Amino acid sequence: QVQLVESGGGSVRPGDSLKLSCTASGFTSAPPVIGWFRQAPGKEREGISCISGKGITTLYVDSVKGRFTISREWNTVYLEMNDLRPEDSAVYVCAAQPTAILYHSRCYEPGHYDTWGQGTQVTVSS
């Protein structure tokens, strides 16, 4: 059974950077597609980025494109977040799909993910 553990959240000022990590364990075949989601108080969960099992394909939602970078080293997926803004404040959660192949239409939809981490808080405030 795949398990995910996130780390790297914290409190920063606008314009600062943070790097989140999501380490997957328990997979028996190829590393799975990993997606990053975030949820701010009173808002719906938002899919923001995902990466294929081999790390070749990456996708970003427009609000983070150019500021966030997703990458992976085998079973650890990173989300490097630059030029953070107050509106980026949220609980960030990584999730795994039951496949290593990334389909664009499935990146941002929570229903395509079957394993979730516990989340890490990111707060951006001056």
Side-chain angles (χ1 to χ4, degrees):
Q1 183 176 359
V2 177
Q3 293 184 320
L4 303 174
V5 177
E6 302 106 330
S7 63
S11 296
V12 297
R13 296 182 181 276
D16 284 353
S17 299
L18 276 176
K19 188 172 184 177
L20 307 182
S21 299
C22 171
T23 300
S25 61
F27 54 88
T28 58
S29 56
V33 169
I34 298 291
W36 281 100
F37 292 76
R38 65 185 181 186
Q39 188 164 19
K43 294 189 176 181
E44 293 187 356
R45 182 177 294 177
E46 176 190 23
I48 60 172
S49 183
C50 57
I51 188 167
S52 61
K54 292 186 177 181
I56 295 173
T57 304
T58 59
L59 294 173
Y60 302 92
V61 70
D62 285 347
S63 61
V64 307
K65 198 174 295 183
R67 299 188 298 123
F68 291 11
T69 302
I70 192 171
S71 61
R72 74 186 305 159
E73 292 178 359
W74 191 239
N75 65 329
T76 298
V77 172
Y78 303 98
L79 186 68
E80 185 168 0
M81 306 184 295
N82 297 315
D83 189 24
L84 283 162
R85 305 166 181 171
E87 55 264 38
D88 294 319
S89 296
V91 175
Y92 284 70
V93 185
C94 66
Q97 294 187 4
T99 177
I101 301 172
L102 175 57
Y103 296 92
H104 288 210
S105 62
R106 301 178 183 178
C107 177
Y108 308 114
E109 295 298 323
H112 292 295
Y113 295 80
D114 62 356
T115 303
W116 294 80
Q118 80 286 357
T120 185
Q121 177 70 47
V122 172
T123 302
V124 185
S125 174
S126 56

